Amino acid sequence: MTLADHAAPAPRPGRRADAERNRAAIIEAATVVFAECGGGVDVREIARRSGVGMGTLYRHFPTKDELLATVLEQQLDTWLTDAYRQAVATEDPWRALTGFFEQLLGNQAGNRAVVESYTATGGPGSACVQRCYALIDQLRVRCADAGVLRPGVTTDDLFLLSGALSQAVLTTAESHPGQWRRLLRISLDGLSSRNAEPLP
Amino acid sequence: MTLADHAAPAPRPGRRADAERNRAAIIEAATVVFAECGGGVDVREIARRSGVGMGTLYRHFPTKDELLATVLEQQLDTWLTDAYRQAVATEDPWRALTGFFEQLLGNQAGNRAVVESYTATGGPGSACVQRCYALIDQLRVRCADAGVLRPGVTTDDLFLLSGALSQAVLTTAESHPGQWRRLLRISLDGLSSRNAEPLP
Amino acid sequence: MTLADHAAPAPRPGRRADAERNRAAIIEAATVVFAECGGGVDVREIARRSGVGMGTLYRHFPTKDELLATVLEQQLDTWLTDAYRQAVATEDPWRALTGFFEQLLGNQAGNRAVVESYTATGGPGSACVQRCYALIDQLRVRCADAGVLRPGVTTDDLFLLSGALSQAVLTTAESHPGQWRRLLRISLDGLSSRNAEPLP
Amino acid sequence: MTLADHAAPAPRPGRRADAERNRAAIIEAATVVFAECGGGVDVREIARRSGVGMGTLYRHFPTKDELLATVLEQQLDTWLTDAYRQAVATEDPWRALTGFFEQLLGNQAGNRAVVESYTATGGPGSACVQRCYALIDQLRVRCADAGVLRPGVTTDDLFLLSGALSQAVLTTAESHPGQWRRLLRISLDGLSSRNAEPLP
DNA sequence: CATGAATGAGCTTTCATTCAT
DNA sequence: AATGAATGAAAGCTCATTCAT
């Protein structure tokens, strides 16, 4: 897998420019609104903020759920790309893993819809989860190979940790922003090979 | 603070017995329904399952939110009592802390509303959070005094951890029940004094 | 089958009086509105005219289609009862049959929804169709026994005729009211034993 | 009136050929779709099936209703032409009338939109109705002159009969195809001079 | 006091028609 | 002249809350 696979979506040729602009505007507005208010917002609010009519919105996304899924996927995709880019540029495997989590979580600070989606389905659409898994897996293997990872830690564990910390990020977003970093540090330390007891 | 403070609510005098019974039935039904379906369920469903009419329900809880809050609070209260009871009976401070978390999380396995509440408001009603804080604080102090706790760990950290793991419990409730225990172990290991690096 | 089976619906005991009144008001309004405008009207119009809120309407009829079906069935039921009452009181079998059709069709003059329903489904809900069939069948047998009915004519034929003439009634409702009676006469004459050629 | 009046529309001079082709494609698709689904279909479906854009469709037919009217008119026109052609070729006046109805109805078997149109407006656009009237009138006069038609039967009666039987054709299209022929026979027999009673 | 019917604003979605490209 | 994206006013239906019985 390369980063190029997830570059900005190539403008499909036969597509009108303003349609593409509208689609982008909808996603942008929806991203903000969903993050602020969660997945329960009125679709009208999104239409209003994107400056398009309801029909336009539903032409691009035939269902509210589809819009939500698209937004979540795209968001997580962007974040994953960012986080992974930095991780691969980091020599030290442990710092790579650490930095990946830090960046991923930092991005989704205060995003209601993202955490809701973890709760509802175990994460956004599977395609995106797949990718997240794959990236985490690479980082895990690097750490394992370097002998810095606690034995027995699986990719599932790391993925689950990501979701759990998302919750923490959201919880503290307004009252204690940044506190989640302490939790991240704690958890990651628990993942280091210094802790060798077998996991349940 | 003693456990007695949180015993079953003394039947307020002047209150008719059936009113109290209704209130209990509502809470019981709401507990189940909110856990199963999350806070978004139709109030009617709760009325139906408790066998009371809408009017009765709204007489006891003037708002859906108030009912939700009551349920969450009472539930967490019960769990806290259970978990704390076992913790104080445990000699080893570390095992006490560990067991407390394990029991607390085990209880709320798969409870949608609980995790949602973490997301929405930073936890259930403050009274309950207060108590949770207090209990965690006691356990934390015991560990700190015994020198088994990583320096710098605050009650806030532990509380936040509890919320984050709640998310993990819910996420894995159906597909991988019990996987959260691995995460709990990892996190708690990161809290041991074996990890001495300062937290951010 | 007796006429008593189709008397006014017995007020179900546990039912509140005003609920029954509302239900009746809804049906009454819906009857008028559907007849005037066809099955495509806005449900709100019915709610407005019956003086109830949308919720009330949907409490009684969980779907627009259900309301429509109820209205059609009840209407046809009433008409059938009227028409049949008169038919059984008529000595001459042929006049009984003739009168039955005349009255049935006369009632539904200009009712949009009724004819639409014939088009859509071959008639309103089956329960009602069953009854219509049964009544027509009795009248047909009387005529056949008296030797005044063209041989080979089935109840299906008569039922289909009823639907076809409904169309004619509606078509002429505004421009040539009453013209349908000529068509009725013509068709019924074609059903008399005077026309003995076998049917295709 | 001659048949030539209703031949294929002369290509209006200043009109581009592809425009004419589009118009034809639209009508062809609309004919199928309206027949299948009735007049309530989404205009998009017609645009899709004709392979033209919405704009083109609306350039040719500024309103959905206008398109529907055009389709109905053209369809009925074709059918009328067919049915009339055969009727004039038939020596026996009664067989001519009979055959005309049979063919006309046989053509519109199961055409939702046609029957709907009878219900809605008393028939398709007046131009077409005029022609239908004229044709039926000719056949009626032939029968009357030959003394085989029941006295007092008007062209209005015959036209109304046509609409009523349309309903029957549609009603039985799927479950009992062909049953309408029995009804046709019955009605026509009622129109024969054998039945001499005056009509209401 | 209990009941559950009534309320009505609000939600998601559709579709005839218009308009920028 | 053709395209199909954009529009926005309904439409069907839901549900927290109130109120008559």
Side-chain angles (χ1 to χ4, degrees), chain D residues 176-190:
Chain D
H176 308 292
Q179 204 205 323
W180 61 269
R181 282 178 221 275
R182 297 167 57 87
L183 214 54
L184 174 60
R185 180 64 197 262
I186 289 168
S187 308
L188 291 176
D189 282 348

Side-chain angles (χ1 to χ4, degrees), chain A residues 121-139:
Chain A
T121 67
S126 58
C128 192
V129 169
Q130 292 292 331
R131 189 171 174 235
C132 190
Y133 251 74
L135 299 186
I136 290 182
D137 194 54
Q138 286 184 37
L139 300 171

Side-chain angles (χ1 to χ4, degrees), chain A residues 16 22 52-53 55-56 59-60:
Chain A
R16 274 214 255 149
N22 273 333
V52 307
T56 305
R59 159 177 284 276
H60 288 284

Side-chain angles (χ1 to χ4, degrees), chain B residues 154-168:
Chain B
T154 66
T155 300
D156 270 331
D157 293 330
L158 294 173
F159 182 72
L160 186 57
L161 176 62
S162 160
L165 291 177
S166 280
Q167 169 78 261

Side-chain angles (χ1 to χ4, degrees), chain C residues 111-131:
Chain C
N111 192 313
R112 299 258 322 244
V114 165
V115 180
E116 278 172 16
S117 81
Y118 275 108
T119 302
T121 67
S126 58
C128 190
V129 169
Q130 291 292 330
R131 190 171 172 234

